[in-house]
Amino acid sequence: MMKTFPLNSRSKTTALKQPKELYSFSRDIDGEWQYDEEVLKKEALPYYYLPDNSIDSQIDLGAGYSKFKKIPAEQNVADFGALLKSIIQYEKNQQEKIKSIDIITFRGILTKLLTLPYNLKDGFEFYISGYDGQLFMKNNDEFDFQKPTSKDEYAERCEYSGYKFETISTLPKPWSECSRSTIDKRSKKVVNNYEQYISVVSSGVGQTGILLAGEVDCVYDYIPENSKNISGHYVELKTSKVIEHNGQVVNFEKKLFKTWAQSFLIGIRKIIYGFRDENLILRSVEVFKTDEIPILMKENPINQTNPNKIVFINAIKWYGAVIEWINNEIDHNDESKSYKLSYDPGSRSLSLIEVDYETNKKLRNGDLLTQEFKAWRELIKS
Ligand code: 0WD
Ligand code: CA
């Protein structure tokens, strides 16, 4: 059985549920996942701090490249097992199964779906299994690893500069709790991409409830007293090449659209871009309000005649339609089947196909669902 879903599908409504954080978990410098929220909210969530005078001091975002503590690519995939562990712990604390959730996934997956109408050249493959009344959706990492990657040294340095920007623009604690030397030595700190703080939120579109987990870079100001409102205080940090001529604007708008989608999905309201020159020197920093990006891009005088101009409401209506389709097509309880959702840029088609017997078995025994998670859910069923 194979079903395809037309890319021009649009839902009538744009009813989106405001994302609300349920809890968070983190990965530490040794690559271990941490689930004690009280501890990690204090230890693993950085605070934005980049005063204007330090921007003026020509920070080198390439500095320290040879000391980069980089996680091996094959270990740096979205860890569904860790997400399921965190859900078990949350449900134990709540003493019940998580309510009103139809789909459980990572934010990166949803970003790819939401941006698809304006991102037709990038293929993807996801696996989906229905279990215990919910759909579990993960990336097919093997598909991504098959893609040819010919990153040259300069591209590696540019990637590094993104992590370096995170390191120089954040403090491990609020400013008032940091020592002078912690503040002064930000630019000397060894950069790593092991440490990650992951926010897990409940959201939804139309009738479909979604639980999504996504990486968050830092807090803008402070953690509000009502921690339910924390998402609005989070920041997405990004780096990009300085924009020097109009031709680069279209490209930057594409990136900004993706960043908007990524932030919008998880309820992040501020996006901070560090612009670097060809020598990776930080030239300027710009703060964008996520909500204002659609208007900003709509009104940008430079890009008015582009026939492929991004219309945000179109993307949201597409997202509503494709999520509803996935949710309706797949049985949430049938353990004899699993599915592959794939987008092929060659034929420009999005299709849903049942996987073979062996793949289904593997997905339900460690590749997607874990024994531990299934045992937990069986336990609370009775
Ligand atoms: O290909 C990988 N290695 C990916 C890993 C792709 C996507 C996600 N992940 C991991 C993340 O590290 C995290 O543990 O999955 C988890 C959940 O992530 P998410 O929030 O759903 O992922 P997404 O929104 O796609 O990206 C968030 C961050 C990125 O930050 P920026 O500012 O670049 O958007 O995940 C990292 C990166 O730090 N990330 C990647 N790291 C290495 N290679 C990649 C990638 N291709 N894609 C995202
Ligand atoms: Ca980022």
Side-chain angles (χ1 to χ4, degrees):
M1 178 229 70
M2 172 158 123
K3 291 188 172 165
T4 60
F5 192 61
L7 296 186
N8 59 3
S9 309
R10 301 288 181 266
S11 69
K12 285 186 196 74
T13 66
T14 53
L16 288 148
K17 221 160 83 218
Q18 175 70 26
K20 278 249 181 308
E21 183 173 283
L22 300 171
Y23 64 91
S24 56
F25 64 106
S26 68
R27 188 169 70 193
D28 68 19
I29 188 76
D30 300 314
E32 304 289 336
W33 291 105
Q34 302 297 336
Y35 303 98
D36 186 339
E37 196 174 13
E38 215 173 302
V39 175
L40 67 92
K41 274 256 177 341
K42 287 201 189 85
E43 306 290 334
L45 180 56
Y47 289 76
Y48 182 71
Y49 180 72
L50 190 59
D52 286 346
N53 63 356
S54 68
I55 301 169
D56 294 339
S57 71
Q58 307 240 330
I59 298 171
D60 180 2
L61 296 180
Y65 174 67
S66 62
K67 294 201 201 88
F68 185 23
K69 188 170 157 43
K70 191 181 181 189
I71 188 168
E74 63 279 7
Q75 283 173 42
N76 194 26
V77 292
D79 190 335
F80 217 89
L83 173 58
L84 293 180
K85 243 190 212 314
S86 74
I87 293 174
I88 296 172
Q89 184 179 303
Y90 177 76
E91 292 183 341
K92 278 186 179 162
N93 290 341
Q94 301 292 310
Q95 299 185 339
E96 62 180 357
K97 179 177 157 183
I98 196 155
K99 275 189 285 230
S100 317
I101 295 295
D102 304 293
I103 299 177
I104 293 177
T105 192
F106 276 100
R107 182 264 314 267
I109 301 261
L110 299 177
T111 307
K112 285 185 188 169
L113 286 174
L114 172 55
T115 57
L116 179 57
Y118 298 104
N119 215 1
L120 295 165
K121 290 190 183 124
D122 295 328
F124 57 72
E125 278 190 8
F126 307 148
Y127 284 123
I128 310 171
S129 298
Y131 172 75
D132 193 24
Q134 293 165 330
L135 301 181
F136 298 79
M137 175 158 61
K138 69 162 265 177
N139 192 45
N140 177 10
D141 300 317
E142 278 161 28
F143 174 80
D144 288 344
F145 285 133
Q146 279 163 14
K147 291 180 189 166
T149 47
S150 56
K151 249 194 203 156
D152 59 14
E153 156 121 3
Y154 185 67
E156 295 276 356
R157 280 182 191 269
C158 285
E159 191 194 68
Y160 172 80
S161 74
Y163 295 111
K164 176 76 176 176
F165 180 61
E166 289 178 8
T167 308
I168 58 108
S169 64
T170 60
L171 294 170
K173 300 261 162 81
W175 180 83
S176 61
E177 291 170 34
C178 287
S179 69
R180 188 76 223 198
S181 87
T182 304
I183 297 168
D184 290 347
K185 290 190 179 133
R186 296 197 316 289
S187 60
K188 296 277 183 317
K189 201 179 158 197
V190 172
V191 176
N192 80 84
N193 64 345
Y194 278 83
E195 288 171 296
Q196 266 190 359
Y197 170 89
I198 308 253
S199 170
V200 179
V201 312
S202 78
S203 182
V205 54
Q207 300 297 309
T208 312
I210 304 174
L211 177 145
L212 62 147
E215 204 218 327
V216 168
D217 293 324
C218 65
V219 162
Y220 187 69
D221 39 18
Y222 57 90
I223 297 178
E225 241 167 80
N226 182 354
S227 58
K228 289 266 168 294
N229 301 327
I230 193 168
S231 310
H233 293 257
Y234 287 150
V235 176
E236 174 61 44
L237 296 171
K238 282 274 189 280
T239 48
S240 195
K241 219 165 42 189
V242 282
I243 299 165
E244 281 156 334
H245 50 85
N246 286 358
Q248 294 168 319
V249 171
V250 177
N251 213 10
F252 179 69
E253 284 203 344
K254 264 192 193 156
K255 283 173 86 171
L256 193 57
F257 169 62
K258 274 196 211 166
T259 308
W260 166 83
Q262 190 185 22
S263 307
F264 166 83
L265 282 167
I266 204 158
I268 294 180
R269 291 167 64 184
K270 275 197 177 70
I271 295 161
I272 302 183
Y273 263 92
F275 292 96
R276 48 165 163 71
D277 65 20
E278 67 277 18
N279 298 318
L280 308 183
I281 304 297
L282 181 66
R283 290 291 172 190
S284 62
V285 168
E286 196 167 340
V287 182
F288 295 89
K289 286 188 182 152
T290 310
D291 294 347
E292 293 176 356
I293 289 175
I295 305 153
L296 200 75
M297 276 175 53
K298 189 177 174 196
E299 292 176 351
N300 182 3
I302 293 167
N303 196 10
Q304 287 302 333
T305 52
N306 181 355
N308 302 318
K309 198 169 165 63
I310 294 164
V311 182
F312 287 68
I313 198 79
N314 237 337
I316 294 174
K317 285 184 173 174
W318 152 257
Y319 176 68
V322 72
I323 291 291
E324 185 181 13
W325 178 66
I326 294 168
N327 197 38
N328 288 341
E329 281 305 321
I330 304 176
D331 190 315
H332 292 39
N333 291 295
D334 185 353
E335 296 178 27
S336 71
K337 297 185 176 77
S338 286
Y339 296 82
K340 188 193 266 182
L341 178 71
S342 52
Y343 172 67
D344 172 36
S347 57
R348 295 206 167 169
S349 63
L350 182 73
S351 58
L352 190 65
I353 185 165
E354 208 181 304
V355 301
D356 59 51
Y357 176 85
E358 279 305 317
T359 308
N360 177 49
K361 215 164 100 185
K362 278 200 219 145
L363 286 170
R364 290 172 183 279
N365 290 285
D367 277 9
L368 173 53
L369 297 167
T370 59
Q371 291 304 342
E372 189 191 14
F373 184 74
K374 289 186 292 177
W376 162 249
R377 282 293 179 85
E378 293 308 318
L379 185 74
I380 53 170
K381 256 184 207 171
S382 47

